[in-house]
């Protein structure tokens, strides 16, 4: 069903009826590049491994026939990722590692859909590259300020998408070889449990038919209207030559992680799990297979014809130099008290086996929820909670928080710090701040001799009301359970982190931009405000 017919129909949900007509115009892409012609391509996000490429793309108009991606001399037919022909994906395997491949997208009528471009595959797992630069950030989602429906403080006045794109372009000017978007790509929360029922706006919730499929239903239209502008306008085609790794977090399941007697938002209910999966299917790539990651890790599969990709468990492997492990803490979380987990025990086994493995120099777990700090949020590793006096405390129980989550934290921290000769480092998302610190002790675990460096990578789209100090009245602090030596106490500004992996060290460059005091023009010349060099222990 086309959008216009849908709007005339009786199924028009309140949220759509209330939308201005211009909301139904094709979603704006970022300003066009002067050096490359995007043609009909509205957005394009690729990922790679040593031998594979997976690309997600959308087009200004639905395509009538099957488009083809040419990789050098090989033709890869597209697969439709929606039911309208606006969204397509391209999957190729058996490619040569460490090679700049020439790519071209061609319509069924053999006309070019955009200018050709280059995309390099990663080195093979036994290669020894000299360096690897990765861009990390979090929370790039949120409706544009001008398109903020509802009265949710989390998304009122998000950073305009044009400015988010400017941050992306500045980050890209440092030529990262990969980008890691750590969670919260879409903010369109369906529940607002902290708002009393009498004042709660259920428009978004009611805009979906939660007992229908996402695809091929009006749900598909609503999803595209909700998610599209938050992704398309931020990335456009700017990352066409930079492999991306998108990990999902709470808001990607269309809710904040919150627990009240009436509503506990995780693990996700069935329909919201389908929304997360559908968003990923259309907009950004799943994680490509890796020989060291069991193919059937629980809840990771996308089902038939999945080519071995995983939705929730990711491996970014760059030769023997670096491996980044991505894991989603929302999908498999349990609420089973002392035996509760964030990640399924089989996934934990994989993480711990990789953390112990000698075949890479640098190994960096990158979950969304942060090691090292608390903001009193429900689904943190730590039990600190906001007291009635507005202070973080462990003297009061945090409702629905699970002791088992912290046990899993301890097992992962022990694994990350037990391998000799490796720099223990984790880079996380979710928390709206930029920070770095060394964890010296976790409960009874004394790791002062080989401390775990924890990094908060920096948020991109955060609204003024979503900074921890605005939302809960307190900034982020180390939890009572840890001893943390803070090198940068969490800074509540927009920013990102660039990590440079070298055989003997890791160099971290931190960037920040203050919306309150700096002009958007300042983004174009942004330089790191802080640099940390971590040497490999001998
Ligand atoms: Fe989050």
């Amino acid at each position: 069903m086309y959008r216009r017919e849908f709007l005339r129909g009786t199924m028009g949900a309140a949220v759509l009826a209330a939308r201005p007509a211009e909301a139904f115009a094709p979603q704006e892409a970022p300003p066009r590049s002067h050096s490359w012609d995007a043609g009909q391509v509205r957005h394009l996000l690729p990922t790679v491994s040593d031998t594979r490429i997976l690309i997600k793309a959308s087009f200004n108009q639905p395509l009538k026939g099957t488009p083809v991606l040419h990789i050098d001399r090989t033709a890869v037919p597209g697969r439709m990722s929606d039911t309208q022909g606006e969204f397509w994906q391209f999957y190729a395997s058996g490619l040569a590692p460490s090679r700049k491949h020439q790519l071209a997208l061609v319509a069924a009528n053999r006309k070019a859909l955009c200018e050709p471009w280059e995309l390099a595959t990663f080195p093979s797992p036994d290669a020894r590259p000299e360096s690897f630069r990765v861009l990390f950030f979090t929370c790039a989602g949120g409706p544009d300020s001008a398109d903020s429906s509802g009265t949710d403080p989390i998304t009122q006045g998000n950073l305009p998408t044009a400015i988010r794109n400017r941050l992306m372009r500045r980050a890209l000017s440092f030529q990262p070889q990969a980008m890691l978007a750590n969670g919260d790509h879409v903010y369109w929360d369906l529940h607002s449990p902290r708002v009393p029922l009498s004042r709660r706006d259920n428009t978004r919730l009611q805009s979906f038919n939660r007992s229908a499929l996402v695809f091929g239903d009006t749900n598909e239209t609503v999803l595209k209207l909700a998610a599209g502008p938050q992704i398309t306008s931020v990335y456009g085609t700017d990352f066409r030559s930079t492999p991306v790794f998108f990990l999902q977090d709470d808001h990607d399941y269309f809710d904040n992680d919150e627990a009240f007697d009436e509503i506990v938002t995780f693990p996700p209910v069935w329909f919201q799990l389908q929304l997360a999966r559908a968003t990923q299917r259309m907009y950004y790539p799943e994680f490509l297979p890796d020989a060291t990651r069991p193919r059937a890790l629980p809840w990771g599969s996308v089902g038939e014809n999945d080519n071995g990709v995983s939705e929730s468990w990711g491996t970014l492997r760059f030769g023997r130099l670096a491996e980044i492990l991505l894991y989603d803490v929302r999908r498999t979380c349990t609420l089973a008290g002392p035996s509760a987990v964030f990640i399924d025990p089989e996934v934990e086994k994989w993480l711990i086996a990789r953390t112990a493995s000698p075949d890479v120099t640098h190994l960096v777990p990158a979950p969304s929820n942060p090691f090292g700090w608390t903001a009193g949020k429900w689904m943190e590793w730590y039990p600190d909670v906001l007291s009635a006096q507005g202070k973080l405390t462990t003297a009061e129980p945090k409702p629905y928080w699970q002791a088992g989550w912290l046990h899993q934290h301890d097992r992962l921290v022990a694994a990350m710090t037990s391998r000799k000769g490796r720099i223990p480092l984790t880079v996380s998302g979710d928390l709206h701040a930029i920070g770095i610190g060394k964890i010296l002790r976790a409960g009874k675990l004394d790791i002062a001799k080989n401390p775990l460096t924890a990094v908060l990578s920096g948020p991109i789209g955060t609204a003024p009301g979503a900074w921890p100090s605005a939302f809960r009245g307190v900034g982020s602090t180390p939890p009572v359970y840890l001893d943390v030596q803070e090198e940068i106490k969490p800074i509540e500004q927009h920013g990102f982190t660039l990590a440079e992996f070298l055989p003997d060290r890791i160099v971290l460059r931190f960037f920040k931009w203050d919306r309150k005091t700096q002009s958007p023009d300042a983004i174009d010349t942004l330089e790191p405000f802080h640099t940390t060099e971590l040497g490999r222990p001998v």
Side-chain angles (χ1 to χ4, degrees), residues 138-139 183-184 187 249-251 256-257 330 368 377 429-432:
T138 184
C139 309
D184 298 332
Y187 284 76
D249 198 33
D250 49 346
H251 295 281
N256 190 30
D257 79 76
R330 312 294 179 186
S368 61
K377 222 182 166 197
D430 187 45
L431 214 155
H432 301 263

Side-chain angles (χ1 to χ4, degrees), residues 121-151:
T121 38
F122 285 159
S124 64
D126 57 355
R128 295 183 183 274
E130 282 303 302
S131 68
F132 179 45
R133 188 177 303 155
V134 186
L135 164 65
F136 289 90
F137 59 83
T138 184
C139 309
D144 216 338
S145 315
D147 187 33
S148 251
S149 57
T151 52

